[in-house]
Amino acid sequence: MSAMAVHSLWTTAAEPIDKIPSPTIEYAQLAPALIVVGAAVVGVLVEAFVPRRARYYTQVFLTVVALTASFAAVVALAAGGYGTTKAHVAAMGAIAVDGPALFLQGTILLASLVAVFTFAERRLDPAAHGNRIDSFAAQAASVPGSDSEKAAVKAGFTTTEVFPLVLFAITGMLLFPAANDLLMLFIALEVFSLPLYLLCAVARRKRLMSQEAAVKYFLLGAFSSAFLLFGIALLYGYAGSLSYARIADVVDGSVRTIDPALADTMGNDALLLIGGAMILMGLLFKVGAVPFHMWTPDVYQGAPTPVTGFMAAATKVAAFGALLRLLYVVLPGLRWDWRPVMWAVAIVTMLGGAIVAITQTDIKRLLAYSSIAHAGFILAGVIASTPDGISSVLFYLAAYSFVTIGAFAVVTLVRDAGGEATHLSKWAGLGRRSPLVAAVFAVFLLAFAGIPLTSGFTGKFAVFSAAAHGGAGALVVIGVISSAIAAFFYIRVIVLMFFSEPKEGGPTVAVPSPLTMTTIGVGVAVTLVLGVAPQYFLDLASQAGVFVR
């Protein structure tokens, strides 16, 4: 009898079913991400097959070419009208090709290209055993201080794997703000988070601190990914779909056809509210908003400084892009529910970041808290929920990313015997010892503070005016107060550099190769151009400020 039953199962299962439809993928429109991920795979092969001597040059060349080609692809798509008239959803509904996606991808690629130059810098530390060394551990797998590590340093090993890792991270960042499907959002999040966890752990100096930073980042990041995934599950239960457009339709109540399997849960508002809140938590963690900011100061302080600069700039751009798309495309029907929550988050983020930064004594921790305050300022533009809000956030992210990478590039230059001198007391009198470096750092600090004629002022003005027009005037008042508090500690660092006596045996300023000089030069140029003549870029951001639905 049992044999018969099994046999009948076999026969029913073997009946012909309709063919699975083959997916249609628009490769040309996904070119920016495909170029970068292709180069990352080639980079892994380079690690396997290219002799150790030639790896560094091969990887740097490959990375720069890939990022340049990818940026060219973004420009070509924008010129072809994919940011405006031809904006649409590609890859079977998984990825949006539209103005905000292309603008943010271009920003991420340019910022990453500039940041990669600091990864490749090899002139800051004195040569060890006749070999030039960079910011990364000689052999990441060896225990700090062990014989194998000493042997690796002596043999002149370098961790050139950081270049493919960066490319994988950039791939995830390119897809994150363009994801038009909750599953794509999660995959992109993991693709850019996992390489970053690794990159945080491979500092050459202060290796234990670097590994501690990576573990903290990994554990808290795993929490945030879990929240995001659980929120995705609840939203799927609510809408019966992972597609942004479909969820938005169910939220609006414009969907009449209900899957019988989901009839019990579909349209259940509790699932929508809890699921939406959990996805928001996952994204606010990546943005570094209070109360999900705990990882930021420790990770920024412990990670190798080139990685910190890259992460601080590019992760914020990607995460805010995804946050904007979620709130404006998926949950516009819930605006009355999410706006009060985001108000509260923005207020505590602006004030919390600015007030705690005053107490910091380490320059990297100070910049970390400053980045938390900036996340609050950008959230003010997100809350505006108007087209101006979107374009002001896009502009602010572009301006902020170059200031950040430039500032962290300057931090890599100030050194003493133990590597980078990040304690603020060591920066005293830097303006007398090397006026140029101090002046450049002062420009970045003034941009962070939002002083006129810098990109920071234009960005803050755009975000605050959008928030005011969007009916969030009280938020702007709090934002201006936080900016004033924040200006205090930026100005304090400038005063410390220029108006205090340099100490005997204080840190020296290393002379970098043209790579880091380019990074800092581009940072200063962008900061001043976006401050003095921002109109073209503001127009570009406003043209790019429309999401495809």
Side-chain angles (χ1 to χ4, degrees), residues 181-191 225 228-229 232:
D181 176 292
L182 289 173
L183 209 53
M184 190 69 223
L185 182 81
F186 180 70
I187 291 168
L189 174 80
E190 292 305 304
V191 168
S225 299
L228 186 88
L229 206 48
I232 289 173

Side-chain angles (χ1 to χ4, degrees), residues 256-268:
R256 293 279 169 268
T257 54
I258 291 186
D259 186 335
L262 292 162
D264 295 340
T265 60
M266 200 159 158
N268 178 343

Side-chain angles (χ1 to χ4, degrees), residues 358-434:
I358 292 175
T359 63
Q360 298 306 310
T361 55
D362 183 279
I363 194 84
K364 282 168 86 174
R365 287 183 83 87
L366 185 129
L367 290 174
Y369 278 106
S370 121
S371 86
I372 293 169
H374 281 281
F377 299 142
I378 302 173
L379 282 173
V382 173
I383 290 167
S385 49
T386 58
D388 281 350
I390 301 177
S391 55
S392 70
V393 169
L394 295 182
F395 179 84
Y396 199 121
L397 288 169
Y400 170 82
S401 52
F402 285 96
V403 182
T404 307
I405 291 173
F408 279 107
V410 174
V411 172
T412 60
L413 303 184
V414 181
R415 296 184 164 253
D416 56 15
E420 288 161 14
T422 56
H423 199 279
L424 270 180
S425 62
K426 297 189 175 164
W427 285 59
L430 193 71
R432 308 203 179 170
R433 207 170 264 143
S434 74

Side-chain angles (χ1 to χ4, degrees), residues 270-521:
L271 289 179
L272 170 66
L273 291 171
I274 299 169
M278 288 187 135
I279 292 180
L280 268 184
M281 280 164 74
L283 293 177
L284 287 173
F285 173 89
K286 279 290 165 210
V287 163
V290 179
F292 312 104
H293 67 292
M294 283 77 78
W295 60 278
T296 313
D298 288 348
V299 173
Y300 280 25
Q301 187 184 8
T305 308
V307 174
T308 309
F310 165 68
M311 201 165 72
T315 309
K316 260 206 180 31
V317 177
F320 267 111
L323 185 68
L324 278 174
R325 194 176 292 277
L326 183 81
L327 294 178
Y328 283 62
V329 176
V330 187
L331 304 175
L334 273 190
R335 189 164 296 155
W336 299 110
D337 295 298
W338 62 252
R339 273 192 80 172
V341 177
M342 298 298 277
W343 263 73
V345 170
I347 289 169
V348 293
T349 304
M350 289 191 286
L351 287 173
I355 291 167
V356 181
I358 292 175
T359 63
Q360 298 306 310
T361 55
D362 183 279
I363 194 84
K364 282 168 86 174
R365 287 183 83 87
L366 185 129
L367 290 174
Y369 278 106
S370 121
S371 86
I372 293 169
H374 281 281
F377 299 142
I378 302 173
L379 282 173
V382 173
I383 290 167
S385 49
T386 58
D388 281 350
I390 301 177
S391 55
S392 70
V393 169
L394 295 182
F395 179 84
Y396 199 121
L397 288 169
Y400 170 82
S401 52
F402 285 96
V403 182
T404 307
I405 291 173
F408 279 107
V410 174
V411 172
T412 60
L413 303 184
V414 181
R415 296 184 164 253
D416 56 15
E420 288 161 14
T422 56
H423 199 279
L424 270 180
S425 62
K426 297 189 175 164
W427 285 59
L430 193 71
R432 308 203 179 170
R433 207 170 264 143
S434 74
L436 182 63
V437 170
V440 165
F441 197 60
V443 169
F444 292 136
L445 289 174
L446 291 172
F448 279 136
I451 304 296
L453 297 184
T454 62
S455 59
F457 173 77
T458 317
K460 267 187 191 157
F461 185 80
V463 167
F464 286 159
S465 63
H469 289 311
L475 199 62
V476 175
V477 174
I478 296 171
V480 172
I481 293 169
S482 325
S483 291
I485 299 171
F488 166 74
F489 60 81
Y490 296 128
I491 306 290
R492 194 183 69 183
V493 176
I494 295 175
V495 168
L496 184 76
M497 289 192 300
F498 287 102
F499 300 108
S500 53
E501 287 299 319
K503 288 186 181 147
E504 279 301 311
T508 55
V509 174
V511 177
S513 69
L515 291 168
T516 301
M517 286 179 187
T518 306
T519 303
I520 297 172

